[in-house]
Amino acid sequence: MTSRQRILAAINLEIPDRVPVSPFGLGRLNPESEIAKRLIRETDPFIEVGLGGNIFLGRAVKTESYSEGNDTVTVIHTPKGDLVSRFRRTEVTGYTVEFPCKGPEDVEKLLSIPFEPVEPDVDRFLRRKEEIGEEGLVLAGLPNAICFPATYLSPQDFCLLWADEPDLMLRMVEIAAERVNEFVEKACRGGVDAFRIIGGEYATEQLGPKGFEALVKPFDRDLCEIIHRYGGIAYYHNHGRVSRYLEDFAEIGIDALDPLEIPPYGDVDLADAKRRVKGKYCLVGPLDDMEVLEKRDFDYIRRLAWKCLEAAGPDGYILGGTASGTYTERAAINFIKLVEVSKEFSVGAKPRWV
C-alpha cells in the first residue's frame, strides 16, 4: 500500500497492510531539508493546507494595523464603532494580549460588518495534493463555527458571553455556521476532498457538555453532512479531556479524531475508546510530539507505541502525534523509527522486550 492508501484504509475502518504512522505536518522542520523529505517518504504524514481568507468576516471588512514596540495593534472598523486588538511578539513566542471584543456591545459591532464571502483557495490545495501524491494525505484546515466567538473574545469573555448572553452567543455561532458551510460547499465543488475541522475544544475545555451540545454538535453535524455529500473526509481535531465526548463525536458524523491525549496529558484510555467507537470513526494519536517523541528515549517510545497498537489496532487506528506543530528533527527521526514497530505489529511479532 502507498501511504495515502494506508491512511484511507484506516479512516474507512479497514485493516491496512500496517497501522499508519502519521506525523501531523512537518513541525519546525525546513520543508526543503533532507529530514523533511525523508519523513514524508518513510512515514504516512498528514499535510495541512489553508484555504485562505477570513471565513467569518469576509472580504469587505476594513482594518488597519500599526506597531507599538513589540505589539502589533489592529483596528477593525465597523458601522457601529471600532474594535481594537493587540498581538505581542517576544523572542520565544507570540500571543494576543487584547482581543477585539470585550463584551456583548463589541459583539454587536462585529456582527454589523457588511459580509462579502471569501473564495476558498482550491488551487492551493490541489497543488499540494499533487506534490504529496501517494506519500501522505492532504487536509484542508477548517475552523468550525464556535471558532468565531473564540477568536474575537478572550477566553474569559468567551465564557462570560455564554453565561450571561447565551442567545447572543448562539446567534454568533449560527451566523458563523452559515458562512463556514457556504465556504466548504464551494471548496468541495472545486475538488477539495478532505478537511481537518478544528474548534470543538473551545466548548469541551471551556464551556462543558451543555455548551458543546448547543454550540458545536448541531453545526458540526451539518458541516460533516456537506463534506460527505461530496464524498469528502471529515477529520476532527479536539485537544484536551475528551473521554466523555467520544459518543458525541460519533453523533456529529466525523471520520477520524485526533489527538486522543492519554494521561498525564489527557484522560483517554485508548482501549476503552476503541471499544466505544469501534465501527464509528478512526482514532488518531496519542504520542505527544513534544513531551514524548521529542524528549524520551526510543525504548520508552517503542513500548508506549506498542501498547497503543495493541489497544487500538489494527483496524480504524492511526499511530500519530498530538499535532503540536513544534517538533524538531529528533521527533521526526522517532516517527520514522516507529514505522518498523508498526511493521512488527502487523505481522504478529512479539515486542522486542519480551
Side-chain angles (χ1 to χ4, degrees):
M1 281 184 161
T2 66
S3 287
R4 178 179 168 83
Q5 290 170 339
R6 190 174 293 120
I7 294 170
L8 290 177
I11 289 176
N12 289 326
L13 309 180
E14 300 165 358
I15 300 177
D17 59 342
R18 63 165 175 80
V19 171
V21 176
S22 301
F24 193 88
L26 302 179
R28 293 191 174 180
L29 302 178
N30 178 345
E32 301 304 319
S33 67
E34 182 54 39
I35 185 61
K37 294 175 182 177
R38 187 180 167 203
L39 186 72
I40 292 173
R41 186 171 63 246
E42 297 185 34
T43 68
D44 314 296
F46 292 109
I47 304 296
E48 187 176 41
V49 175
L51 295 179
N54 188 325
I55 300 175
F56 300 124
L57 296 185
R59 61 187 180 190
V61 61
K62 294 179 173 58
T63 65
E64 57 179 310
S65 297
Y66 57 91
S67 296
E68 285 186 355
N70 292 329
D71 294 355
T72 299
V73 180
T74 300
V75 180
I76 303 174
H77 301 296
T78 88
K80 295 185 176 181
D82 290 345
L83 299 170
V84 178
S85 67
R86 186 178 295 267
F87 185 84
R88 182 165 299 160
R89 182 163 293 284
T90 70
E91 293 181 1
V92 178
T93 188
Y95 49 95
T96 301
V97 295
E98 180 181 357
F99 287 78
C101 295
K102 285 78 175 176
E105 182 179 335
D106 286 342
V107 170
E108 293 291 357
K109 290 180 183 179
L110 195 70
L111 295 178
S112 73
I113 297 171
F115 181 70
E116 294 180 18
V118 295
E119 297 298 316
D121 190 348
V122 172
D123 289 343
R124 185 181 182 192
F125 176 90
L126 296 178
R127 284 196 302 271
R128 191 59 170 145
K129 183 179 176 182
E130 184 177 0
E131 289 169 2
I132 296 299
E134 291 295 311
E135 293 188 320
L137 183 67
V138 176
L139 301 167
L142 182 71
N144 67 2
I146 202 172
C147 287
F148 187 29
T151 298
Y152 290 94
L153 290 146
S154 72
Q156 175 177 293
D157 290 327
F158 171 76
C159 294
L160 288 173
L161 188 70
W162 176 236
D164 297 337
E165 299 283 349
D167 290 343
L168 180 57
M169 174 76 95
L170 182 59
R171 179 157 67 93
M172 199 176 186
V173 172
E174 287 173 340
I175 290 169
E178 291 179 5
R179 296 172 183 180
V180 170
N181 290 351
E182 180 182 356
F183 183 87
V184 167
E185 187 123 24
K186 289 179 180 177
C188 288
R189 287 201 297 264
V192 178
D193 57 3
F195 296 84
R196 182 177 185 250
I197 303 165
I198 67 167
E201 63 203 55
Y202 288 120
T204 60
E205 290 293 288
Q206 294 178 246
L207 305 181
K210 290 184 179 179
F212 188 82
E213 185 73 28
L215 301 173
V216 175
K217 279 182 70 174
F219 304 105
D220 284 1
R221 185 185 298 120
D222 291 345
L223 183 57
C224 288
E225 287 179 357
I226 293 170
I227 294 169
H228 290 153
R229 191 185 310 148
Y230 289 88
I233 293 169
Y235 179 111
Y236 208 80
H237 172 74
N238 204 115
H239 274 298
R241 301 172 67 85
V242 300
S243 185
R244 71 185 300 171
Y245 297 98
L246 294 175
E247 286 80 9
D248 292 293
F249 296 134
E251 291 174 17
I252 289 172
I254 66 173
D255 297 306
L257 173 68
D258 82 11
L260 293 162
E261 288 142 317
I262 58 177
Y265 316 107
D267 69 345
V268 173
D269 179 310
L270 205 52
D272 173 66
K274 184 58 179 277
R275 285 192 296 270
R276 290 163 59 188
V277 307
K278 186 176 174 63
K280 298 175 182 176
Y281 58 83
C282 176
L283 301 176
V284 185
L287 303 181
D288 191 282
D289 295 349
M290 297 306 298
E291 299 302 322
V292 175
L293 290 161
E294 191 73 26
K295 295 180 179 179
R296 305 302 292 261
D297 63 82
F298 189 69
D299 185 61
Y300 175 90
I301 295 169
R302 179 175 56 205
R303 288 170 181 266
L304 179 56
W306 194 274
K307 290 178 181 178
C308 293
L309 291 165
E310 289 183 320
D315 59 322
Y317 178 57
I318 295 172
L319 184 63
T322 48
S324 70
T326 57
Y327 70 84
T328 68
E329 183 169 340
R330 178 173 179 175
I333 291 171
N334 284 328
F335 269 122
I336 292 169
K337 288 181 178 179
L338 284 172
V339 172
E340 290 304 315
V341 178
S342 176
K343 289 178 179 178
E344 290 170 4
F345 178 79
S346 70
V347 297
K350 290 184 178 181
R352 295 182 186 180
W353 56 89
V354 172

